[in-house]
Amino acid sequence: MNNIFQDKEFKKKYPIFLVSHNLYWKSWYQEEINKISMILKDVEFNSYHIGSTAIEGIFAKNIIDIIIEVKDENEICKTVKLLGEKYSKRWQEDKRAFFVKGYGENGFEEKVFHIHIRHLRDIDEVYFRDYLEKNPSVAKKYEELKLIAEEKFRNDREAYTKSKSEFIKKYTEIEKISRLQ
């Protein structure tokens, strides 16, 4: 899989930087979901605002992450094709795809979106989000981890993401287990 996020010029043009919580993020998410719903009017899906922009009170990259959970796995190809008309597809594999919007020629635009296409129940990020929402002290620890990673990996998205993975995995699993009880 050729990943544009690994390109050195891309990394310099679009660095990792965190900002304080923006009250507009939830409305930006809703506006974008309304647009996506028009595009996918014949596809049955759930949508979720994920990532740190969905958690009130913590620093985040100024990027709205959205999961589109396609209810019928046979509709994933159709979903990818339809979204490809309005969003930039970065990669696709099996039953997942990833689109972006807001990456301008000279850097990030005001509103930036990452659209994650998933099949039914492939939504671990939602579990993590839910855990952080219910546990503000853990959300603050996550914020601290992210701020350290931002300084260390400003131009390396893969390392930034990897530095958070154990933390995310731990609390995602705790949330999933709690839902089974």
Side-chain angles (χ1 to χ4, degrees), residues 132-146:
L132 293 184
E133 285 179 336
K134 292 187 277 189
N135 297 277
S137 64
V138 176
K140 280 297 183 186
K141 287 179 185 174
Y142 183 57
E143 176 186 56
E144 291 169 16
L145 176 65
K146 288 162 47 87

Side-chain angles (χ1 to χ4, degrees), residues 50 121-134 168 171-177 179:
I50 59 164
R121 292 181 289 285
D122 181 12
I123 56 169
D124 280 0
E125 296 89 342
V126 175
Y127 296 117
F128 183 65
R129 178 206 64 195
D130 291 352
Y131 189 86
L132 293 184
E133 285 179 336
K134 292 187 277 189
I168 293 168
Y171 291 104
T172 299
E173 290 306 312
I174 291 171
E175 179 66 18
K176 288 169 89 172
I177 290 168
R179 290 186 185 198

Side-chain angles (χ1 to χ4, degrees), residues 93-116:
E93 60 184 25
D94 297 326
K95 297 176 181 130
R96 287 182 162 200
F98 180 67
F99 291 84
V100 299
K101 178 181 175 183
Y103 285 75
E105 270 193 45
N106 298 313
F108 291 116
E109 295 174 0
E110 179 187 7
K111 297 178 183 178
V112 182
F113 298 92
H114 287 176
I115 315 297
H116 308 262

Side-chain angles (χ1 to χ4, degrees), residues 5-20 59-63 103 108 145-164:
F5 294 123
Q6 295 174 348
D7 178 73
K8 285 184 181 186
E9 290 304 311
F10 181 91
K11 290 176 180 185
K12 288 180 186 174
K13 194 177 197 179
Y14 307 103
I16 300 291
F17 68 93
L18 302 178
V19 298
S20 61
F59 275 67
K61 294 187 308 287
N62 194 30
I63 298 171
Y103 285 75
F108 291 116
L145 176 65
K146 288 162 47 87
L147 289 166
I148 292 166
E150 172 198 27
E151 286 298 315
K152 194 171 181 180
F153 305 115
R154 185 167 308 276
N155 296 102
D156 189 344
R157 285 180 181 275
E158 292 78 23
Y160 173 81
T161 300
K162 187 176 182 182
S163 72
K164 304 178 305 172

